[in-house]
């Protein structure tokens, strides 16, 4: 479905800047590079584990630019006390992954 | 129940 992506353009720009600051290799960030950033949110590790599961859409243990944006979006939602969903809502699936 | 995911690809598990 061509539902608009839940991640707003201005947020995506912000997430991309963080993504690039973590020095992606072949456009991918490994878990150990992303982990400190997500831990910085002070969210419980089990919540971050769920954020990772939902954002690592191809389950390759790495996050690409879009997957990283999904992870950041879920972290910000959790910080605003929005519970992390059990499954990725269709609106959150990056257009590149549909 | 949420799939706990595999620790091999999840740095938090």
């Amino acid at each position: 479905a061509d539902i608009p992506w839940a991640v707003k353009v201005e947020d995506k720009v912000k997430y991309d800047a963080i993504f690039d600051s973590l020095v992606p290799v072949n456009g991918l960030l490994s878990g150990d590079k992303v982990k400190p950033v997500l831990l910085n949110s002070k969210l419980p590790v089990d919540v971050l584990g769920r954020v990772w599961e939902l954002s690592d859409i191809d389950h390759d243990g790495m996050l690409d630019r879009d997957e990283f944006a999904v992870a950041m979006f879920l972290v910000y939602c959790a910080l605003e006390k929005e519970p992390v969903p059990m499954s990725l809502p269709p609106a959150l699936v990056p257009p590149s992954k549909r | 129940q949420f799939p706990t995911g595999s620790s091999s690809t999840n740095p938090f598990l």
Side-chain angles (χ1 to χ4, degrees):
Chain A
D2 54 356
I3 35 176
W5 197 22
V7 178
K8 294 180 188 45
V9 172
E10 59 271 18
D11 291 338
K12 182 73 168 63
V13 167
K14 193 171 56 173
Y15 301 152
D16 280 355
I18 302 169
F19 181 85
D20 292 328
S21 72
L22 295 171
V23 191
V25 174
N26 300 326
L28 294 172
L29 286 177
S30 58
D32 58 348
K33 281 186 180 171
V34 174
K35 185 168 180 176
V37 174
L38 299 189
L39 284 172
N40 256 345
S41 63
K42 307 282 183 275
L43 288 171
V45 170
D46 62 322
V47 169
L48 295 177
R50 205 154 77 201
V51 167
W52 178 277
E53 283 307 313
L54 293 177
S55 44
D56 183 14
I57 294 163
D58 45 15
H59 292 287
D60 58 355
M62 320 274 271
L63 294 188
D64 67 18
R65 198 173 285 275
D66 287 345
E67 291 172 335
F68 183 76
V70 171
M72 294 303 286
F73 181 88
L74 290 170
V75 164
Y76 281 111
C77 288
L79 288 173
E80 273 133 44
K81 305 285 173 273
E82 273 288 310
V84 177
M86 284 296 158
S87 61
L88 200 57
L92 251 183
V93 177
S96 59
K97 304 269 184 207
R98 286 179 190 163
Chain B
Q1 176 54 25
F2 181 78
T4 50
S6 50
S7 57
S8 63
T9 61
N10 191 320
F12 297 98
L13 297 184

